[in-house]
PDB file of all heavy atoms in Angstrom:
ATOM      1  N   ARG N  92      -2.077   7.846 -13.240  1.00 83.00           N
ATOM      2  CA  ARG N  92      -3.457   8.278 -13.501  1.00 83.00           C
ATOM      3  C   ARG N  92      -3.573   9.455 -14.457  1.00 83.00           C
ATOM      4  O   ARG N  92      -4.635   9.740 -14.975  1.00 83.00           O
ATOM      5  CB  ARG N  92      -4.149   8.612 -12.176  1.00 83.00           C
ATOM      6  CG  ARG N  92      -4.753   7.391 -11.563  1.00 83.00           C
ATOM      7  CD  ARG N  92      -5.356   7.652 -10.212  1.00 83.00           C
ATOM      8  NE  ARG N  92      -4.967   6.579  -9.316  1.00 83.00           N
ATOM      9  CZ  ARG N  92      -4.628   6.724  -8.063  1.00 83.00           C
ATOM     10  NH1 ARG N  92      -4.624   7.917  -7.502  1.00 83.00           N
ATOM     11  NH2 ARG N  92      -4.268   5.692  -7.350  1.00 83.00           N
ATOM     12  N   ARG N  93      -2.457  10.202 -14.663  1.00 79.00           N
ATOM     13  CA  ARG N  93      -2.521  11.315 -15.626  1.00 79.00           C
ATOM     14  C   ARG N  93      -2.635  10.763 -17.041  1.00 79.00           C
ATOM     15  O   ARG N  93      -3.368  11.287 -17.866  1.00 79.00           O
ATOM     16  CB  ARG N  93      -1.274  12.213 -15.517  1.00 79.00           C
ATOM     17  CG  ARG N  93      -1.210  12.997 -14.253  1.00 79.00           C
ATOM     18  CD  ARG N  93      -2.312  14.045 -14.155  1.00 79.00           C
ATOM     19  NE  ARG N  93      -2.420  14.549 -12.791  1.00 79.00           N
ATOM     20  CZ  ARG N  93      -3.556  14.816 -12.179  1.00 79.00           C
ATOM     21  NH1 ARG N  93      -4.698  14.661 -12.785  1.00 79.00           N
ATOM     22  NH2 ARG N  93      -3.555  15.279 -10.950  1.00 79.00           N
ATOM     23  N   ALA N  94      -1.858   9.694 -17.335  1.00 82.00           N
ATOM     24  CA  ALA N  94      -1.889   9.106 -18.674  1.00 82.00           C
ATOM     25  C   ALA N  94      -3.146   8.241 -18.870  1.00 82.00           C
ATOM     26  O   ALA N  94      -3.702   8.200 -19.963  1.00 82.00           O
ATOM     27  CB  ALA N  94      -0.632   8.271 -18.899  1.00 82.00           C
ATOM     28  N   GLN N  95      -3.569   7.550 -17.783  1.00 86.00           N
ATOM     29  CA  GLN N  95      -4.773   6.705 -17.883  1.00 86.00           C
ATOM     30  C   GLN N  95      -5.780   7.185 -16.849  1.00 86.00           C
ATOM     31  O   GLN N  95      -5.882   6.603 -15.764  1.00 86.00           O
ATOM     32  CB  GLN N  95      -4.434   5.246 -17.551  1.00 86.00           C
ATOM     33  CG  GLN N  95      -3.412   4.593 -18.465  1.00 86.00           C
ATOM     34  CD  GLN N  95      -2.768   3.421 -17.720  1.00 86.00           C
ATOM     35  OE1 GLN N  95      -1.628   3.522 -17.289  1.00 86.00           O
ATOM     36  NE2 GLN N  95      -3.494   2.320 -17.549  1.00 86.00           N
ATOM     37  N   PRO N  96      -6.526   8.256 -17.149  1.00 88.00           N
ATOM     38  CA  PRO N  96      -7.442   8.795 -16.133  1.00 88.00           C
ATOM     39  C   PRO N  96      -8.548   7.796 -15.764  1.00 88.00           C
ATOM     40  O   PRO N  96      -9.118   7.159 -16.654  1.00 88.00           O
ATOM     41  CB  PRO N  96      -8.044  10.034 -16.797  1.00 88.00           C
ATOM     42  CG  PRO N  96      -7.403  10.181 -18.117  1.00 88.00           C
ATOM     43  CD  PRO N  96      -6.590   8.979 -18.414  1.00 88.00           C
ATOM     44  N   PRO N  97      -8.834   7.650 -14.466  1.00 93.00           N
ATOM     45  CA  PRO N  97      -9.921   6.753 -14.059  1.00 93.00           C
ATOM     46  C   PRO N  97     -11.281   7.338 -14.444  1.00 93.00           C
ATOM     47  O   PRO N  97     -11.390   8.545 -14.695  1.00 93.00           O
ATOM     48  CB  PRO N  97      -9.785   6.699 -12.530  1.00 93.00           C
ATOM     49  CG  PRO N  97      -8.882   7.806 -12.152  1.00 93.00           C
ATOM     50  CD  PRO N  97      -8.165   8.303 -13.348  1.00 93.00           C
ATOM     51  N   SER N  98     -12.305   6.500 -14.470  1.00 95.00           N
ATOM     52  CA  SER N  98     -13.651   7.004 -14.821  1.00 95.00           C
ATOM     53  C   SER N  98     -14.174   7.848 -13.651  1.00 95.00           C
ATOM     54  O   SER N  98     -13.731   7.686 -12.502  1.00 95.00           O
ATOM     55  CB  SER N  98     -14.594   5.835 -15.076  1.00 95.00           C
ATOM     56  OG  SER N  98     -14.884   5.204 -13.838  1.00 95.00           O
ATOM     57  N   TYR N  99     -15.169   8.703 -13.962  1.00 95.00           N
ATOM     58  CA  TYR N  99     -15.734   9.544 -12.904  1.00 95.00           C
ATOM     59  C   TYR N  99     -16.450   8.692 -11.851  1.00 95.00           C
ATOM     60  O   TYR N  99     -16.493   9.050 -10.687  1.00 95.00           O
ATOM     61  CB  TYR N  99     -16.657  10.611 -13.492  1.00 95.00           C
ATOM     62  CG  TYR N  99     -15.855  11.705 -14.169  1.00 95.00           C
ATOM     63  CD1 TYR N  99     -15.990  11.970 -15.527  1.00 95.00           C
ATOM     64  CD2 TYR N  99     -14.933  12.452 -13.445  1.00 95.00           C
ATOM     65  CE1 TYR N  99     -15.224  12.953 -16.148  1.00 95.00           C
ATOM     66  CE2 TYR N  99     -14.158  13.431 -14.059  1.00 95.00           C
ATOM     67  CZ  TYR N  99     -14.300  13.682 -15.409  1.00 95.00           C
ATOM     68  OH  TYR N  99     -13.531  14.644 -16.006  1.00 95.00           O
ATOM     69  N   MET N 100     -16.981   7.561 -12.267  1.00 97.00           N
ATOM     70  CA  MET N 100     -17.647   6.669 -11.308  1.00 97.00           C
ATOM     71  C   MET N 100     -16.629   6.154 -10.287  1.00 97.00           C
ATOM     72  O   MET N 100     -16.886   6.149  -9.076  1.00 97.00           O
ATOM     73  CB  MET N 100     -18.305   5.510 -12.069  1.00 97.00           C
ATOM     74  CG  MET N 100     -19.110   4.609 -11.187  1.00 97.00           C
ATOM     75  SD  MET N 100     -20.171   5.583 -10.109  1.00 97.00           S
ATOM     76  CE  MET N 100     -21.720   5.017 -10.576  1.00 97.00           C
ATOM     77  N   HIS N 101     -15.450   5.757 -10.783  1.00 96.00           N
ATOM     78  CA  HIS N 101     -14.413   5.266  -9.869  1.00 96.00           C
ATOM     79  C   HIS N 101     -13.932   6.387  -8.939  1.00 96.00           C
ATOM     80  O   HIS N 101     -13.723   6.165  -7.746  1.00 96.00           O
ATOM     81  CB  HIS N 101     -13.229   4.690 -10.665  1.00 96.00           C
ATOM     82  CG  HIS N 101     -13.515   3.332 -11.228  1.00 96.00           C
ATOM     83  ND1 HIS N 101     -12.908   2.843 -12.363  1.00 96.00           N
ATOM     84  CD2 HIS N 101     -14.368   2.363 -10.802  1.00 96.00           C
ATOM     85  CE1 HIS N 101     -13.366   1.620 -12.603  1.00 96.00           C
ATOM     86  NE2 HIS N 101     -14.254   1.311 -11.680  1.00 96.00           N
ATOM     87  N   ILE N 102     -13.772   7.584  -9.490  1.00 97.00           N
ATOM     88  CA  ILE N 102     -13.329   8.722  -8.658  1.00 97.00           C
ATOM     89  C   ILE N 102     -14.365   8.991  -7.557  1.00 97.00           C
ATOM     90  O   ILE N 102     -14.034   9.176  -6.392  1.00 97.00           O
ATOM     91  CB  ILE N 102     -13.120   9.986  -9.527  1.00 97.00           C
ATOM     92  CG1 ILE N 102     -11.961   9.759 -10.500  1.00 97.00           C
ATOM     93  CG2 ILE N 102     -12.874  11.231  -8.673  1.00 97.00           C
ATOM     94  CD1 ILE N 102     -11.768  10.853 -11.517  1.00 97.00           C
ATOM     95  N   PHE N 103     -15.644   8.964  -7.955  1.00 97.00           N
ATOM     96  CA  PHE N 103     -16.714   9.238  -6.984  1.00 97.00           C
ATOM     97  C   PHE N 103     -16.719   8.178  -5.872  1.00 97.00           C
ATOM     98  O   PHE N 103     -16.761   8.515  -4.685  1.00 97.00           O
ATOM     99  CB  PHE N 103     -18.073   9.291  -7.704  1.00 97.00           C
ATOM    100  CG  PHE N 103     -19.208   9.662  -6.801  1.00 97.00           C
ATOM    101  CD1 PHE N 103     -19.338  10.973  -6.324  1.00 97.00           C
ATOM    102  CD2 PHE N 103     -20.143   8.725  -6.394  1.00 97.00           C
ATOM    103  CE1 PHE N 103     -20.380  11.328  -5.476  1.00 97.00           C
ATOM    104  CE2 PHE N 103     -21.178   9.066  -5.537  1.00 97.00           C
ATOM    105  CZ  PHE N 103     -21.305  10.374  -5.086  1.00 97.00           C
ATOM    106  N   LEU N 104     -16.619   6.905  -6.291  1.00 97.00           N
ATOM    107  CA  LEU N 104     -16.644   5.826  -5.288  1.00 97.00           C
ATOM    108  C   LEU N 104     -15.449   5.928  -4.337  1.00 97.00           C
ATOM    109  O   LEU N 104     -15.586   5.752  -3.125  1.00 97.00           O
ATOM    110  CB  LEU N 104     -16.627   4.453  -5.988  1.00 97.00           C
ATOM    111  CG  LEU N 104     -17.938   4.043  -6.654  1.00 97.00           C
ATOM    112  CD1 LEU N 104     -17.780   2.700  -7.352  1.00 97.00           C
ATOM    113  CD2 LEU N 104     -19.056   3.960  -5.602  1.00 97.00           C
ATOM    114  N   ALA N 105     -14.282   6.219  -4.903  1.00 97.00           N
ATOM    115  CA  ALA N 105     -13.081   6.330  -4.059  1.00 97.00           C
ATOM    116  C   ALA N 105     -13.221   7.516  -3.101  1.00 97.00           C
ATOM    117  O   ALA N 105     -12.853   7.436  -1.922  1.00 97.00           O
ATOM    118  CB  ALA N 105     -11.839   6.480  -4.939  1.00 97.00           C
ATOM    119  N   GLY N 106     -13.783   8.628  -3.592  1.00 97.00           N
ATOM    120  CA  GLY N 106     -13.994   9.811  -2.745  1.00 97.00           C
ATOM    121  C   GLY N 106     -14.963   9.502  -1.608  1.00 97.00           C
ATOM    122  O   GLY N 106     -14.732   9.875  -0.454  1.00 97.00           O
ATOM    123  N   CYS N 107     -16.058   8.807  -1.947  1.00 98.00           N
ATOM    124  CA  CYS N 107     -17.056   8.456  -0.915  1.00 98.00           C
ATOM    125  C   CYS N 107     -16.420   7.541   0.135  1.00 98.00           C
ATOM    126  O   CYS N 107     -16.668   7.707   1.341  1.00 98.00           O
ATOM    127  CB  CYS N 107     -18.257   7.743  -1.525  1.00 98.00           C
ATOM    128  SG  CYS N 107     -19.245   8.806  -2.564  1.00 98.00           S
ATOM    129  N   THR N 108     -15.601   6.585  -0.309  1.00 97.00           N
ATOM    130  CA  THR N 108     -14.960   5.671   0.650  1.00 97.00           C
ATOM    131  C   THR N 108     -14.039   6.456   1.583  1.00 97.00           C
ATOM    132  O   THR N 108     -14.059   6.271   2.802  1.00 97.00           O
ATOM    133  CB  THR N 108     -14.134   4.593  -0.109  1.00 97.00           C
ATOM    134  OG1 THR N 108     -14.947   4.063  -1.142  1.00 97.00           O
ATOM    135  CG2 THR N 108     -13.667   3.493   0.805  1.00 97.00           C
ATOM    136  N   GLY N 109     -13.243   7.348   1.002  1.00 96.00           N
ATOM    137  CA  GLY N 109     -12.341   8.189   1.815  1.00 96.00           C
ATOM    138  C   GLY N 109     -13.141   9.044   2.793  1.00 96.00           C
ATOM    139  O   GLY N 109     -12.804   9.156   3.970  1.00 96.00           O
ATOM    140  N   GLY N 110     -14.245   9.625   2.311  1.00 97.00           N
ATOM    141  CA  GLY N 110     -15.079  10.498   3.148  1.00 97.00           C
ATOM    142  C   GLY N 110     -15.711   9.739   4.298  1.00 97.00           C
ATOM    143  O   GLY N 110     -15.737  10.218   5.435  1.00 97.00           O
ATOM    144  N   PHE N 111     -16.189   8.532   3.998  1.00 96.00           N
ATOM    145  CA  PHE N 111     -16.852   7.719   5.020  1.00 96.00           C
ATOM    146  C   PHE N 111     -15.867   7.358   6.136  1.00 96.00           C
ATOM    147  O   PHE N 111     -16.148   7.539   7.320  1.00 96.00           O
ATOM    148  CB  PHE N 111     -17.409   6.450   4.353  1.00 96.00           C
ATOM    149  CG  PHE N 111     -18.085   5.518   5.317  1.00 96.00           C
ATOM    150  CD1 PHE N 111     -19.349   5.821   5.808  1.00 96.00           C
ATOM    151  CD2 PHE N 111     -17.463   4.353   5.742  1.00 96.00           C
ATOM    152  CE1 PHE N 111     -19.978   4.971   6.710  1.00 96.00           C
ATOM    153  CE2 PHE N 111     -18.085   3.504   6.644  1.00 96.00           C
ATOM    154  CZ  PHE N 111     -19.349   3.817   7.129  1.00 96.00           C
ATOM    155  N   LEU N 112     -14.679   6.899   5.752  1.00 95.00           N
ATOM    156  CA  LEU N 112     -13.717   6.470   6.784  1.00 95.00           C
ATOM    157  C   LEU N 112     -13.136   7.660   7.543  1.00 95.00           C
ATOM    158  O   LEU N 112     -12.920   7.589   8.749  1.00 95.00           O
ATOM    159  CB  LEU N 112     -12.604   5.632   6.154  1.00 95.00           C
ATOM    160  CG  LEU N 112     -13.075   4.253   5.674  1.00 95.00           C
ATOM    161  CD1 LEU N 112     -11.973   3.513   4.966  1.00 95.00           C
ATOM    162  CD2 LEU N 112     -13.569   3.416   6.864  1.00 95.00           C
ATOM    163  N   GLN N 113     -12.904   8.754   6.839  1.00 94.00           N
ATOM    164  CA  GLN N 113     -12.359   9.915   7.557  1.00 94.00           C
ATOM    165  C   GLN N 113     -13.374  10.489   8.544  1.00 94.00           C
ATOM    166  O   GLN N 113     -12.999  10.979   9.603  1.00 94.00           O
ATOM    167  CB  GLN N 113     -11.860  10.994   6.589  1.00 94.00           C
ATOM    168  CG  GLN N 113     -12.932  11.798   5.901  1.00 94.00           C
ATOM    169  CD  GLN N 113     -12.921  13.263   6.265  1.00 94.00           C
ATOM    170  OE1 GLN N 113     -11.866  13.867   6.450  1.00 94.00           O
ATOM    171  NE2 GLN N 113     -14.095  13.847   6.360  1.00 94.00           N
ATOM    172  N   ALA N 114     -14.676  10.374   8.224  1.00 95.00           N
ATOM    173  CA  ALA N 114     -15.698  10.918   9.129  1.00 95.00           C
ATOM    174  C   ALA N 114     -15.633  10.222  10.492  1.00 95.00           C
ATOM    175  O   ALA N 114     -15.807  10.858  11.532  1.00 95.00           O
ATOM    176  CB  ALA N 114     -17.094  10.765   8.521  1.00 95.00           C
ATOM    177  N   TYR N 115     -15.378   8.922  10.467  1.00 91.00           N
ATOM    178  CA  TYR N 115     -15.301   8.172  11.715  1.00 91.00           C
ATOM    179  C   TYR N 115     -14.137   8.684  12.578  1.00 91.00           C
ATOM    180  O   TYR N 115     -14.268   8.880  13.779  1.00 91.00           O
ATOM    181  CB  TYR N 115     -15.142   6.673  11.412  1.00 91.00           C
ATOM    182  CG  TYR N 115     -15.237   5.842  12.657  1.00 91.00           C
ATOM    183  CD1 TYR N 115     -16.470   5.607  13.265  1.00 91.00           C
ATOM    184  CD2 TYR N 115     -14.093   5.332  13.266  1.00 91.00           C
ATOM    185  CE1 TYR N 115     -16.567   4.875  14.425  1.00 91.00           C
ATOM    186  CE2 TYR N 115     -14.175   4.588  14.429  1.00 91.00           C
ATOM    187  CZ  TYR N 115     -15.416   4.370  15.008  1.00 91.00           C
ATOM    188  OH  TYR N 115     -15.504   3.652  16.166  1.00 91.00           O
ATOM    189  N   CYS N 116     -12.987   8.939  11.927  1.00 90.00           N
ATOM    190  CA  CYS N 116     -11.811   9.440  12.676  1.00 90.00           C
ATOM    191  C   CYS N 116     -12.039  10.888  13.114  1.00 90.00           C
ATOM    192  O   CYS N 116     -11.594  11.311  14.175  1.00 90.00           O
ATOM    193  CB  CYS N 116     -10.554   9.420  11.807  1.00 90.00           C
ATOM    194  SG  CYS N 116     -10.234   7.857  11.047  1.00 90.00           S
ATOM    195  N   LEU N 117     -12.740  11.639  12.262  1.00 92.00           N
ATOM    196  CA  LEU N 117     -12.922  13.072  12.524  1.00 92.00           C
ATOM    197  C   LEU N 117     -13.905  13.354  13.670  1.00 92.00           C
ATOM    198  O   LEU N 117     -13.763  14.352  14.380  1.00 92.00           O
ATOM    199  CB  LEU N 117     -13.420  13.728  11.222  1.00 92.00           C
ATOM    200  CG  LEU N 117     -13.801  15.200  11.224  1.00 92.00           C
ATOM    201  CD1 LEU N 117     -12.566  16.066  11.506  1.00 92.00           C
ATOM    202  CD2 LEU N 117     -14.393  15.616   9.873  1.00 92.00           C
ATOM    203  N   ALA N 118     -14.885  12.457  13.852  1.00 94.00           N
ATOM    204  CA  ALA N 118     -16.019  12.764  14.740  1.00 94.00           C
ATOM    205  C   ALA N 118     -15.624  13.313  16.120  1.00 94.00           C
ATOM    206  O   ALA N 118     -16.075  14.404  16.500  1.00 94.00           O
ATOM    207  CB  ALA N 118     -16.933  11.551  14.867  1.00 94.00           C
ATOM    208  N   PRO N 119     -14.778  12.627  16.916  1.00 93.00           N
ATOM    209  CA  PRO N 119     -14.474  13.179  18.247  1.00 93.00           C
ATOM    210  C   PRO N 119     -13.697  14.494  18.183  1.00 93.00           C
ATOM    211  O   PRO N 119     -13.941  15.407  18.970  1.00 93.00           O
ATOM    212  CB  PRO N 119     -13.620  12.095  18.914  1.00 93.00           C
ATOM    213  CG  PRO N 119     -13.514  10.978  17.959  1.00 93.00           C
ATOM    214  CD  PRO N 119     -14.154  11.329  16.683  1.00 93.00           C
TER     215      PRO N 119
END
Side-chain angles (χ1 to χ4, degrees):
R92 273 176 224 140
R93 291 293 166 220
Q95 299 157 255
S98 71
Y99 286 119
M100 185 47 120
H101 283 153
I102 294 173
F103 184 72
L104 286 178
C107 292
T108 312
F111 178 75
L112 290 176
Q113 74 116 37
Y115 187 75
C116 307
L117 175 65

